[in-house]
Amino acid sequence: MKHILLIAAALFCACLPARATYILIQTDHTQLVLTAQEDGALRTRYYGKRIEAPWQFLNDDSRFHGPNGSGPMTVPTTGGKYVREAALHVRYADGSHNTELYYTGHKSEYRNGVFTTTVMLRDPVTDLAVQLIYDAYEKEDVIVAHTEIVNGGKKTIELLDYASSAMHFEADRYLLTHTWGGWATEMQVERELLGHDTKVIESRRGVQTTQNNNPSFLLSLNTAEFSETAGDVIAGALAWSGNFRLAFDRDDAGRLSVIAGISPFASAYPLAPGETFITPDMVWTFSSAGAGQASRNLHRWARNWGVYRGGQVHPTLLNSWEGAYFTFTTETLLRMIDDAAGMGLEMFVLDDGWFAKDFPRNNDAAGLGDWEVNTAKLPEGIDYVASYAHDKGLKFGIWIEPEMVNPQSNLARRHPEWVVQSPGREIYQERNQWVLDLSNPKVQDFVFGIFDGVMKLSKNIDYVKWDCNRVIQSFGSTYLGKEQDRFFVEYCQGLYSVMKRIRTKYPDVIIQCCSSGGGRVDYGALHYFDEIWTSDNTDGDCRAYIQYATNLIYPPFIMGAHVSAVPNHQSGNVTPLKFRFDMACAGRLGLELQPKNFSARDRALAERCIASYYQYRDLVFTGDLYRLSSPYDSDYYALAYVAPDKSRAVVYTYCLRYQHRTGSQHPFRIDGLDPQRKYKVRELNVDRSCWWGDGQTFTGDFLGTGAFNPDLPQKYSSAVFYLEAE
Ligand code: GLA
């Protein structure tokens, strides 16, 4: 039926509708309904759970007589009757600012589980043409929208606002959940009830754009309470690694428009006659069963479509950074490799400090840009170390930061014009470094060449950690001349074009997206990168908050999660080794410490935790996440990954605050299990379990009652349970 409806809709003529028509964009459980009125106005009527006869929206024109007279315009444009936050704002060659778009037709096609609907609009006065493209992912209940803007006129125009997508909602209350943060405190949850007027979440940092805010959100409708399991929730994420802007514009009637796209900050983008601007993708999902389902929709989409090789299991690893920093010899690395192999890990990653000869990278003040092996430090070279790792049965990874240059480098002397800068102004340093201008195609070639060159250091390089450790300041490009407004957009496009080339040549290398930790966590980057470095903060306590919030939008399998030494190098906090393992094992497990400093007891525990991780690791990568308790709302954090066929699960439980309770058994309801099936529950990595039911078999519905109440008596008590259906 759905197919017939869409095909019928697709046959609609490419001109102003003789009578009102509707456009249906739908997935297995959700529906987006647009209507084109007789006058050609295109309006968004509904985004929510599927209803039977969506054409009935055509009978309702009650919303078009509001103060702005325009109703929920699918593309709110500056000009005409519309006076609020715009998705599209154009300055024409004659200086005018008005754009009024009219529907001219639409078409749909279906391929491999994705319905693509293209809606065409035009401004008859200026010949500006706009196409809205919606990819509806049937099974994942995700709609990915982007916009293509074509200058059909004869003169160059300027795009002042060019959002990817707008959505409109009507509810009594809108509870916004989003994340803020900073270095080592990425992804902190903030919730607020939206008032009237406009709430904006934006980044103007150029790169490292997600360190303060993430271009994503959850929106709970008609409630002031965040619920995992109940109510209508919309989730959105912009797939863009540059400056972004999310605007939540609530009008005087209480209606909400969400407008998401590239930030127009200093980016009035020129569009010549005949040129098309393609916006980044905006990823939307809807759940009528609370935030948990909204996250799971996004995670499934990420696994199947959104993340490079999503869901593929990646190796556990030992990273050299916190264990060795810049101070190592070949011998140091070989002994770390021996230890990694001995502990049952699968990869060794050589972090910063291995490169540059004339300006050796012995601290962060020199060397970025000069990507040759520092043979004074590693006389045998990289291949020797990488081959040693392979001989020990480990994969090998290496760190680069190709977008950056230290003033103390040969590159800075050879190509000062490649540095991001503004004429006559100081080029400010951050972490003693400058940014290379990726809007320049020559710099793009150079950056591709860095990756290519590093890969040639050894045929045994399996993994690259790509870092990016500062924001852009005094922005500008010697290459762009007078067209500086292109800079921010073309930097990000330049990065993607480099990544495209890298992926064509190196489809199999695992690439981690790091940016001082989680400074580049978005679905634009994840189109090319396999995983992220979630945060430089590896304190298990802080990680509870960071990982919980990351997983609101992004799937657990992308999270690099490492066990490090205590006191923690970032926070100074001391947590038990088991707690650190239990936290890191909820992501892609790694270690980031000097293993030779382990006591015999700690080493034995580490080996035990690593071995047990392999038993359920596939669930981290392919299971469905159920959040059982939030660190933000409770003294306890708990989550479960459940196999899609519900045959197995892993449940993580943590005490984050000591409450002096006489009864320290905390009840958790394990969601997501099959209520009828019986599961054998076993606690991992302990000799004596902290739950009375350990080793026994219980039905899924019993485990969902709160009878599952492990004893977590102290701050940083933690327990991991493995569940297998009979
Ligand atoms: C950044 C990264 C760290 C590490 C250092 C190396 O801070 O986030 O993990 O790689 O750079 O300089």
Side-chain angles (χ1 to χ4, degrees):
M1 178 60 184
K2 160 177 69 191
H3 298 244
I4 296 166
L5 271 177
L6 275 158
I7 291 161
L11 294 175
F12 205 80
C13 72
C15 56
L16 289 190
R19 58 193 170 78
T21 188
Y22 74 101
I23 302 161
L24 195 56
I25 294 152
Q26 61 188 1
T27 65
D28 280 355
H29 305 100
T30 73
Q31 216 164 36
L32 170 64
V33 182
L34 314 180
T35 61
Q37 307 303 131
E38 286 91 339
D39 63 359
L42 184 72
R43 294 186 170 99
T44 300
R45 309 307 302 272
Y46 176 70
Y47 181 41
K49 70 171 187 219
R50 269 177 82 147
I51 57 160
E52 266 314 307
W55 56 265
Q56 295 169 103
F57 283 106
L58 283 171
N59 299 333
D60 170 15
D61 70 352
S62 59
R63 285 160 193 78
F64 306 160
H65 310 296
N68 307 323
S70 50
M73 287 163 59
T74 304
V75 190
T77 56
T78 296
K81 290 178 181 171
Y82 191 72
V83 293
R84 295 192 66 87
E85 188 75 23
L88 180 64
H89 179 184
V90 180
R91 178 159 50 208
Y92 295 95
D94 63 1
S96 65
H97 285 263
N98 280 261
T99 300
E100 290 177 273
L101 294 174
Y102 295 94
Y103 167 89
T104 58
H106 73 277
K107 58 184 183 187
S108 311
E109 62 174 313
Y110 178 75
R111 211 181 317 142
N112 299 334
V114 188
F115 279 102
T116 300
T117 304
T118 306
V119 186
M120 282 81 82
L121 298 134
R122 206 175 134 255
D123 180 345
V125 176
T126 61
D127 280 334
L128 184 82
V130 170
Q131 298 201 33
L132 307 177
I133 292 97
Y134 297 94
D135 290 320
Y137 293 83
E138 245 186 332
K139 294 208 163 14
E140 295 82 4
D141 288 321
V142 162
I143 295 175
V144 175
H146 79 271
T147 298
E148 300 186 0
I149 306 159
V150 187
N151 180 1
K154 293 195 167 50
K155 293 192 171 146
T156 296
I157 60 175
E158 280 177 298
L159 305 180
L160 303 184
D161 283 308
Y162 36 105
S164 296
S165 181
M167 283 281 191
H168 308 275
F169 305 99
E170 285 192 65
D172 288 338
R173 288 196 175 94
Y174 306 93
L175 178 68
L176 177 68
T177 303
H178 63 104
T179 52
W180 65 279
W183 174 74
T185 51
E186 294 89 341
M187 288 285 195
Q188 302 295 306
V189 167
E190 197 150 70
R191 290 194 203 119
E192 62 194 278
L193 272 177
L194 291 175
H196 290 78
D197 227 320
T198 310
K199 156 90 188 172
V200 171
I201 299 172
E202 188 174 30
S203 172
R204 300 179 173 196
R205 299 161 65 93
V207 292
Q208 219 188 49
T209 48
T210 70
Q211 200 101 46
N212 291 162
N213 291 302
N214 196 268
S216 63
F217 62 89
L218 294 168
L219 196 63
S220 310
L221 302 183
N222 292 309
T223 180
E225 298 293 322
F226 182 85
S227 168
E228 280 296 330
T229 50
D232 289 353
V233 176
I234 287 102
L238 185 74
W240 181 246
S241 313
N243 291 344
F244 63 82
R245 187 169 195 272
L246 309 176
F248 301 83
D249 186 43
R250 193 174 177 209
D251 72 10
D252 44 338
R255 295 178 297 216
L256 180 73
S257 301
V258 181
I259 297 171
I262 292 176
S263 165
F265 167 68
S267 300
Y269 199 85
L271 204 60
E275 258 182 17
T276 303
F277 185 87
I278 301 176
T279 71
D281 285 337
M282 178 64 192
V283 184
W284 298 98
T285 192
F286 170 85
S287 152
S288 54
Q293 189 59 47
S295 300
R296 286 189 290 280
N297 291 350
L298 290 180
H299 297 173
R300 279 196 183 184
W301 173 80
R303 209 178 296 135
N304 297 338
W305 308 91
V307 173
Y308 191 78
R309 285 188 298 189
Q312 182 167 315
V313 169
H314 293 313
T316 58
L317 60 87
L318 172 65
N319 176 296
S320 68
W321 181 237
E322 289 198 7
Y325 288 109
F326 292 105
T327 313
F328 52 82
T329 60
T330 303
E331 189 56 24
T332 319
L333 304 181
L334 301 191
R335 295 298 71 82
M336 287 178 102
I337 290 170
D338 289 342
D339 280 326
M343 286 188 292
L345 294 170
E346 297 168 326
M347 180 157 69
F348 175 72
V349 178
L350 171 55
D351 210 282
D352 201 350
W354 59 267
F355 54 92
K357 280 182 177 158
D358 297 338
F359 301 92
R361 182 76 173 168
N362 292 326
N363 52 50
D364 63 18
L368 287 176
D370 299 351
W371 296 98
E372 68 219 320
V373 183
N374 179 357
T375 41
K377 204 184 230 176
L378 300 175
E380 298 85 354
I382 293 297
D383 185 50
Y384 181 79
V385 182
S387 304
Y388 186 85
H390 272 228
D391 288 347
K392 291 274 165 177
L394 298 189
K395 293 184 185 306
F396 179 80
I398 195 162
W399 180 95
I400 55 173
E401 192 179 1
E403 295 159 80
M404 301 286 161
V405 56
N406 284 119
Q408 295 302 314
S409 68
N410 286 321
L411 178 67
R413 281 159 179 73
R414 278 186 204 130
H415 286 292
E417 78 285 7
W418 284 0
V419 174
V420 169
Q421 59 194 283
S422 183
R425 293 186 187 279
E426 183 177 345
I427 314 175
Y428 298 114
Q429 295 180 30
E430 239 187 50
R431 208 191 189 210
N432 310 303
Q433 66 198 55
W434 291 330
V435 186
L436 293 175
D437 172 14
L438 264 182
S439 74
N440 181 342
K442 284 204 177 112
V443 178
Q444 293 166 24
D445 287 346
F446 176 77
V447 169
F448 171 78
I450 294 171
F451 193 100
D452 202 29
V454 166
M455 289 304 294
K456 284 176 186 148
L457 291 174
S458 166
K459 63 177 186 336
N460 292 329
I461 295 178
D462 307 288
Y463 174 104
V464 174
K465 174 175 174 179
W466 178 301
D467 212 336
C468 172
N469 275 310
R470 62 161 294 175
V471 304
I472 289 177
Q473 297 164 335
S474 286
F475 60 91
S477 159
T478 60
Y479 166 75
L480 290 172
K482 289 214 165 72
E483 300 209 320
Q484 297 295 312
D485 278 84
R486 292 177 178 273
F487 172 70
F488 282 121
V489 171
E490 292 186 9
Y491 184 101
C492 188
Q493 289 172 338
L495 171 71
Y496 290 162
S497 131
V498 171
M499 292 311 300
K500 232 175 255 165
R501 284 169 72 183
I502 289 173
R503 278 315 189 184
T504 307
K505 187 157 181 191
Y506 299 104
D508 297 330
V509 67
I510 304 167
I511 313 181
Q512 182 186 68
C513 186
C514 173
S515 181
S516 306
R520 194 179 259 163
V521 181
D522 64 79
Y523 279 121
L526 286 166
H527 190 66
Y528 304 101
F529 291 87
D530 297 87
E531 63 168 38
I532 58 159
W533 179 222
T534 317
S535 174
D536 276 349
N537 189 340
T538 45
D539 174 345
D541 188 340
C542 305
R543 274 296 182 118
Y545 300 85
I546 295 171
Q547 295 183 182
Y548 167 93
T550 301
N551 294 153
L552 290 174
I553 301 292
Y554 304 98
F557 66 80
I558 65 154
M559 289 191 309
H562 295 182
V563 174
S564 57
V566 287
N568 182 271
H569 294 193
Q570 270 60 251
S571 68
N573 196 20
V574 175
T575 57
L577 184 61
K578 170 125 187 336
F579 181 80
R580 280 174 273 151
F581 262 103
D582 288 351
M583 195 62 69
C585 283
R588 192 276 294 131
L589 173 66
L591 269 63
E592 183 149 344
L593 39 66
Q594 175 49 274
K596 74 172 185 218
N597 296 340
F598 268 142
S599 66
R601 207 162 148 233
D602 282 354
R603 166 105 181 204
L605 177 60
E607 288 177 15
R608 192 170 180 184
C609 292
I610 293 164
S612 72
Y613 178 71
Y614 298 130
Q615 195 178 351
Y616 59 82
R617 170 171 56 176
D618 63 306
L619 298 174
V620 178
F621 283 77
T622 61
D624 286 323
L625 165 67
Y626 289 83
R627 290 181 287 264
L628 312 182
S629 179
S630 156
Y632 292 89
D633 300 323
S634 165
D635 296 335
Y636 300 88
Y637 175 37
L639 66 154
Y641 301 136
V642 181
D645 68 0
K646 305 208 180 280
S647 60
R648 293 153 65 232
V650 55
V651 179
Y652 306 80
T653 59
Y654 316 89
C655 174
L656 298 178
R657 285 172 283 271
Y658 180 48
Q659 290 297 314
H660 283 282
R661 288 187 181 126
T662 36
S664 51
Q665 290 95 343
H666 187 75
F668 301 101
R669 295 164 182 273
I670 308 179
D671 288 334
L673 300 177
D674 182 334
Q676 314 307 334
R677 280 168 95 172
K678 287 189 172 161
Y679 295 87
K680 180 159 190 183
V681 183
R682 263 184 314 114
E683 186 179 349
L684 302 176
N685 306 322
V686 287
D687 298 325
R688 273 191 46 213
S689 174
C690 66
W691 186 45
W692 60 266
D694 186 62
Q696 299 179 42
T697 300
F698 303 96
T699 55
D701 61 355
F702 179 81
L703 293 167
T705 60
F708 173 70
N709 60 346
D711 190 9
L712 302 169
Q714 290 177 331
K715 185 171 177 162
Y716 306 143
S717 298
S718 62
V720 177
F721 297 86
Y722 182 61
L723 280 61
E724 250 177 326
E726 281 185 337

